[in-house]
Amino acid sequence: MAWLLVLLLLLFLAGMPIVLAVGIVSVAYAVFIAEVPLAILPQQITSSIDSFVLLAIPLFLLTGGLMGEAGITQRLLRFSEALVGWMRGGLAQVNVLTNVLMAGISGSGLADAAATGSAMMPIMKKRGYGAGFAAAVTAAASCIGPIIPPSIVMVVIGGLTNVSVGRMFLGGIVPGLLLGAAFGFVVYLTSRARNYPTGERASAREVISSFGAALPSLGLPLIIIVGILSGVFTPTEAAAIACVYTIIFGLIYKELTWKAFYRAVVNVGTATGTIMFIVGVSAVFGWILVAEDYGTKIAELLLSITRDPDTMLLIIVATLLILGCFVEVIALLILTVPVLMPLIETLGIDPVQFGVIATIALTTGLITPPFGISMFLMCSIGNVTIGQFSREIWPFIIAIVVGLVLFIYFPGLVTFLPNVIMGEAK
């Protein structure tokens, strides 16, 4: 087995896409070590993605893809500008708040980054904001998308483990809002140091008017959460409702065209195919890790270092943050979370706390150099180099790390809402 891990490392270093490298190693294991029929591999792939919970992924992606076409993004931008546009670095603050509001709709950080980036970055650059800063703000704020419910990452975690998706949704609300506030503070300090402009304070009438226009959009997160908690529908059904809600919204306001709908469906189909391929291949590698009992070995190794739950979470978070610089988020999630879950249970760590913290740590990989997907997207939209982006993103990453430490040592920040609304976990 050791030579397979060496092969995997060599393929990584050679620049091969992670999922293909994992697939090659999986085939080599099946042929040369396990000596099982190759038909086992496609069976493992299909069985891993044959999940009602994972069906929420394309539906939430479609919701995110339709937001801009349905006019949701623009309405949220106007409402955000009325609320915080007058502050120092007003447009950057609007960027952060808009991502917080959109996080309650799409469940995808990448979808939020694409929507706000294309709308906000050109305006920010015209008004004197640095291109690298505009890209970094948008990318960092989009990380809130998978933290505040609904969340595609939490859906995948729930599909791979026995952790309640509903409880994780509730657990992500406070951390997501706190991180949004932290990003706003970083924006304020940076804008004050660089003398970025402020906007005019909106009148009460303008605030009320923009709120009325955004109200149908703002009501969607409430419908999703109340529906899940009341048992009216499951997280997957909530994703379908969010999708239908967005379509109806676009039709009522006559902003969603058939051409735009077709384009969104095609893009979501491509993205879903990519995600499910990663899920399937990564699940095969996870099956190998289970077959070789690597979960127990990793647990024993970590337990030999410490048995303190908080210290263990710090080690896990540090590992996920480092690996997230090099491995795609969904692939890393599938390879690590199922292996770590027995260890979490052994130490008595609340699985909801772990699920939310893991979501934040994994999502950070979207913006960390050298391979963050959101980083590449923002650099492409804003015509920014990786170097420019990297210099601007670190204050936001530091804010995320500080937040993770708080959520580890003060678990009530995560578990309070789930325990109050759904009762103590049994």
Side-chain angles (χ1 to χ4, degrees):
M1 184 64 184
W3 67 269
L4 284 180
L5 296 179
V6 172
L7 173 61
L8 183 63
L9 179 60
L10 291 176
L11 292 175
F12 286 169
L13 295 177
M16 178 175 287
I18 300 296
V19 66
L20 294 182
V22 169
I24 290 173
V25 169
S26 300
V27 171
Y29 175 86
V31 173
F32 298 109
I33 296 180
E35 297 182 352
V36 298
L38 288 179
I40 293 293
L41 300 185
Q43 290 175 6
Q44 287 289 330
I45 291 175
T46 54
S47 64
S48 66
I49 63 177
D50 183 16
S51 169
F52 181 69
V53 173
L54 295 182
L55 182 60
I57 292 176
L59 295 171
F60 278 132
L61 285 175
L62 184 57
T63 301
L66 292 173
M67 284 193 305
E69 307 290 352
I72 289 177
T73 303
Q74 294 300 324
R75 285 175 170 79
L76 293 179
L77 279 172
R78 287 195 291 270
F79 178 51
S80 299
E81 187 168 15
L83 288 179
V84 300
W86 55 272
M87 299 174 65
R88 174 66 63 182
L91 276 182
Q93 299 287 3
V94 170
N95 199 330
V96 173
L97 181 56
T98 301
N99 272 282
V100 171
L101 298 176
M102 289 175 61
I105 300 173
S106 74
S108 167
L110 201 59
D112 292 352
T116 55
S118 58
M120 290 294 301
M121 288 174 62
I123 302 174
M124 290 181 67
K125 289 194 290 184
K126 285 181 180 179
R127 296 194 186 178
Y129 293 84
F133 178 71
V137 169
T138 308
S142 70
C143 287
I144 301 173
I147 302 170
I148 293 178
S151 165
I152 290 175
V153 174
M154 291 181 185
V155 169
V156 176
I157 291 176
L160 295 173
T161 66
N162 292 322
V163 183
S164 165
V165 174
R167 296 185 73 89
M168 279 193 291
F169 277 6
L170 286 174
I173 293 176
V174 173
L177 294 177
L178 289 177
L179 287 178
F183 293 159
F185 183 66
V186 171
V187 165
Y188 173 78
L189 293 179
T190 305
S191 300
R192 185 171 181 178
R194 300 178 184 177
N195 199 30
Y196 284 148
T198 61
E200 295 183 3
R201 186 183 292 271
S203 65
R205 176 175 293 181
E206 290 172 331
V207 173
I208 295 173
S209 175
S210 62
F211 173 72
L215 187 57
S217 309
L218 298 173
L220 181 55
L222 184 63
I223 293 172
I224 292 174
I225 293 298
V226 172
I228 292 174
L229 297 181
S230 64
V232 174
F233 41 74
T234 66
T236 301
E237 292 165 344
I241 290 171
C243 187
V244 173
Y245 187 99
T246 305
I247 294 172
I248 294 174
F249 185 97
L251 293 176
I252 290 175
Y253 286 92
K254 299 180 180 180
E255 296 191 34
L256 180 62
T257 65
W258 284 109
K259 184 177 180 179
F261 179 78
Y262 174 78
R263 183 170 58 247
V265 170
V266 171
N267 291 336
V268 168
T270 303
T272 301
T274 302
I275 292 174
M276 290 306 175
F277 180 67
I278 294 171
V279 170
V281 174
S282 301
V284 172
F285 193 71
W287 164 69
I288 293 173
L289 295 178
V290 172
E292 293 294 322
D293 201 25
Y294 267 83
T296 301
K297 295 175 183 177
I298 292 173
E300 290 175 351
L301 173 63
L302 292 176
L303 288 172
S304 68
I305 298 174
T306 181
R307 287 184 173 271
D308 178 67
D310 295 338
T311 305
M312 184 64 72
L313 281 176
L314 283 176
I315 294 173
I316 291 172
V317 163
T319 302
L320 292 178
L321 289 174
I322 293 172
L323 292 177
C325 295
F326 306 97
V327 183
E328 196 276 332
V329 171
I330 298 296
L332 181 58
L333 187 164
I334 295 169
L335 293 175
T336 56
V337 170
V339 173
L340 293 172
M341 206 62 207
L343 175 64
I344 297 302
E345 294 172 351
T346 298
L347 292 177
I349 298 171
D350 191 309
V352 173
Q353 181 194 13
F354 168 71
V356 172
I357 288 175
T359 297
I360 298 171
L362 289 164
T363 301
T364 307
L366 293 171
I367 63 172
T368 49
F371 298 119
I373 298 177
S374 290
M375 175 189 70
F376 287 128
L377 178 62
M378 292 302 98
C379 288
S380 175
I381 293 176
N383 194 24
V384 174
T385 66
I386 301 297
Q388 290 174 314
F389 179 91
S390 299
R391 286 191 291 273
E392 299 286 359
I393 197 63
W394 288 111
F396 297 98
I397 294 177
I398 291 172
I400 293 174
V401 172
V402 171
L404 284 167
V405 173
L406 286 175
F407 306 144
I408 289 172
Y409 285 96
F410 299 94
L413 293 172
V414 177
T415 59
F416 174 75
L417 277 181
N419 289 342
V420 168
I421 296 177
M422 300 182 68
E424 295 281 345
K426 298 180 180 179

